[in-house]
Structures are given as C-alpha cells and as structure tokens.
Amino acid sequence: MVRAENFIAALERAGFGLISGVPCSYLTALINTAIAAEGTRYVGSANEGDALAVACGADLGGVRGVTIFQNSGLGNAVNPFTSLTASFRIPVLIVCSWRGQPGGAADEPQHDMMGRITPGLFEMMDIPWEAFPAEESDLDAAIGRAVAHMDRNRTPYALIVSKGTIGGGAPAPETAPIADGSDRTIPASVKAEPLDPDAALAAIQKGAREDDVVVATTGFTGRALYALEDRPNQIYMVGSMGCASSMGLGLAIARPERRTVVIDGDGAMLMRMGAAATIAHQAPENLVHVLLDNGVHDSTGAQSTISSWVDLSAIAAVCGYPVVQRVCTEAELADTVAEAGPGPTFIHVRTTPRTHHDLPRPTIKPHEVADRLRDWLGPR
C-alpha cells in the first residue's frame, strides 16, 4: 500500500503543483491529502471533464497538472481528452480509480462494464497507462515514466488505481458552512437591443489589457476573434464545448499576476454549468468571465438554447461570483472588461445570432496556438 502523503510528496518533487478532481472512495485518502497539502493546489470540480480542463489551463500557465477521478466518470472526460488535450497537446497526469476491475474486489453492478473497458478506453484515446504502484519504493519511477512520456509526446499519461492501493492520508476536511447568499446581489434585468457579435468581440479586445490572457470558447466565437485580430495572448478553443471557463480557471490560478479573460457562450455555459459554481468557490480575483448570450447554438445550425428561459446572470450571482454585471453597449462592454477586478467577475451581454458564417479558420494549428501562448506568458 502507498501512503497518500508520500504520493503527493513524490508529485511535488516531480514539479506538479495543481490537482483537480472528482471524488471516489478508492481515492479518498489521496483527495483529502491533496486538499491539506501546502505545496499543492487542489480544485474540486463538478465533473471529470471540467477537472481535466482546469489541469490543462494550469499546464498552459506553467504549472504541471494532475486530474483524479473515478473510472465511472471517465466518459465525462472523453470529449476534452479527444479535443482539448489531443488538439492542443497538453500533458496532464491522470489518476483514475478502477471500480469494477475484472478479477478484483466485488463492486456494484453499475461498475461492471466500465471496469471491463477502462484500460481499453485509455488505449483508444492513445493515452498510455500503467497500474498505480503497489509499493512506495516504485513511486518515483512510475511518476518519472509518466513525466518522460508527457514531456516527449505532450499528451496525458494515466495511473489506474485498484482498490486498497492508497491509504493513510490527511483526515477529512471540515464540512464547509452553508452560505445563506444574503449578500449576493443579482443585477436588474435590462431590456436593450442585442449587440452585433463581432462588435461585442471587438469591444472585448479593446477592453482587454496587454498582459491579459484571452480564452475564446469553441465555434464561431474563437474563429471570429481570430478574424478580428490574431494575438499571441489569445487561445481559441476547438471542441471541448463548455470547458473554456474551467481552462480559464486553471490559467488564472497558475498565473495570478495576470488577468484571464474568458469569452463564453450561452450554450457552452449551459452544457457545463457546474463550472460556474467551481469558479465562484475558488474565487480567483484575476478571472473575468464574459458571456455572449445569443440564444442559439450558432455554429451548429442556430438551434435555440434555453438561455431565454434561464437568467444566467442570476445563476452566476447565486453561485457566488462577487461581481455580476449586465452590459448593453459596446462602450460599456469595453469599459467593464477594462476595469474588471478584483473578481471573479461575470459580465453578461446579449448578442444577435450571426448573420454571416464566412469566417476564416485559424491557419495556425491548435498546438501551435498553445505553444505560442506559453512562449508569450514566459516562465512563472
């Protein structure tokens, strides 16, 4: 058996600084120890895909990331594995439990199929894996193999944990007090003509500071931002819908000296709404979350979203964003972005669906965009 505190120490020796995850009983000792560790930041996420995106953002910011979760939630991370880590070539260490392991401990029936296919899923995604070390004397070697692969191939590496492999660890953290929300102000709804989407993006570019990192959600938003003006501090998400805000959270944590501006969409936010609660709880003062709400899935046929039914500004407020603002004009949007902070700040602006779809696709490949951003950021 490996003591959780010794694994965390081995991660720190290897240069890992952020762990994001979703609980599993096989990983309880590890998660509690990560929460208590002074040299490691732990981010508890609402789902496995969000956790992976947080670690990706941290890695882009110069902090090696680890994502830990139960294999029953591996499916929630398949999309960011195949379109975020693969497209941008972002290496993350994965620690995944093996519930329902064939020949292993008896388990609940819902784990049977995933237990049988867990190694195969990693292999199908071209993610090499090995069994989590059973002996502490093997820890550094296993992590060394993972790091060597990650540095050489710029892709994730997985350690799969059987029941009873990890023990020891810190005691369970105290239960957080229930927030009454009485100090959370929901901004009044404003009826105004929605902005042209390109005008809104131009206003955000105008308001962004020279040393801000700008993360644009997938679809037309990233392509339109690229068309307006390609800048080395901008990264354009491809696929991994809904993960822009979580990746922005990881970047904001890794680079607290800079602001991270996330340009999100209503469909993307609705798809992974739990990320808003995670961001508010982690409370990075340097994160500016701009929601362009056009009421449709614009790049996939303009089918309606349900944003007209859901007050996304109110959602951000009750999640705990300390600053939530609605803006109606280009000048107001530019000024609000420029002046935002300390936050996290949530800015809601309504835009019209796009009337023209002849947007250029970036000629620079996603992994080149990521490398360019790393170079622009420089060492921590």
Side-chain angles (χ1 to χ4, degrees), residues 138-152:
D138 297 328
L139 278 177
D140 287 327
I143 294 173
R145 288 189 293 273
V147 169
H149 166 85
M150 292 161 64
D151 288 348
R152 181 175 61 251

Side-chain angles (χ1 to χ4, degrees), residues 56-201:
C56 287
D59 187 83
L60 286 172
V63 176
R64 284 193 187 273
V66 183
T67 298
I68 58 180
F69 51 70
Q70 184 177 126
N71 60 328
S72 62
L74 178 56
N76 289 330
V78 167
N79 176 249
F81 269 131
T82 58
S83 59
L84 180 54
T85 64
S87 298
F88 289 97
R89 297 183 187 173
I90 302 176
V92 175
L93 178 62
I94 308 301
V95 178
C96 177
S97 66
W98 199 348
R99 302 292 300 265
Q101 179 180 356
D107 213 330
E108 300 295 330
Q110 68 267 25
H111 298 297
D112 288 348
M113 176 174 284
M114 184 55 80
R116 285 186 276 112
I117 68 175
T118 291
L121 276 178
F122 280 116
E123 291 162 8
M124 289 177 66
M125 294 187 291
D126 294 329
I127 298 173
W129 67 276
E130 64 177 273
F132 191 93
E135 303 294 335
E136 292 185 349
S137 58
D138 297 328
L139 278 177
D140 287 327
I143 294 173
R145 288 189 293 273
V147 169
H149 166 85
M150 292 161 64
D151 288 348
R152 181 175 61 251
N153 299 287
R154 310 300 298 166
T155 58
Y157 191 94
L159 300 175
I160 303 183
V161 183
S162 299
K163 185 175 183 179
T165 303
I166 301 175
E174 293 184 6
T175 302
I178 297 175
D180 62 17
S182 60
D183 59 344
R184 298 176 185 176
T185 302
I186 298 175
S189 181
V190 177
K191 292 184 178 180
E193 290 298 316
L195 299 182
D196 174 82
D198 288 334
L201 289 171

Side-chain angles (χ1 to χ4, degrees), residues 180-190 310-326 346 348:
D180 62 17
S182 60
D183 59 344
R184 298 176 185 176
T185 302
I186 298 175
S189 181
V190 177
V310 179
D311 188 336
L312 294 173
S313 292
I315 293 292
V318 298
C319 280
Y321 280 72
V323 182
V324 179
Q325 295 178 267
R326 303 182 201 264
F346 186 88
H348 181 274

Side-chain angles (χ1 to χ4, degrees), residues 289-316:
H289 190 177
V290 184
L291 181 71
L292 302 184
D293 182 358
N294 64 5
V296 298
H297 294 285
D298 219 355
S299 63
T300 54
Q303 304 88 352
S304 295
T305 70
I306 60 168
S307 69
S308 61
W309 182 257
V310 179
D311 188 336
L312 294 173
S313 292
I315 293 292

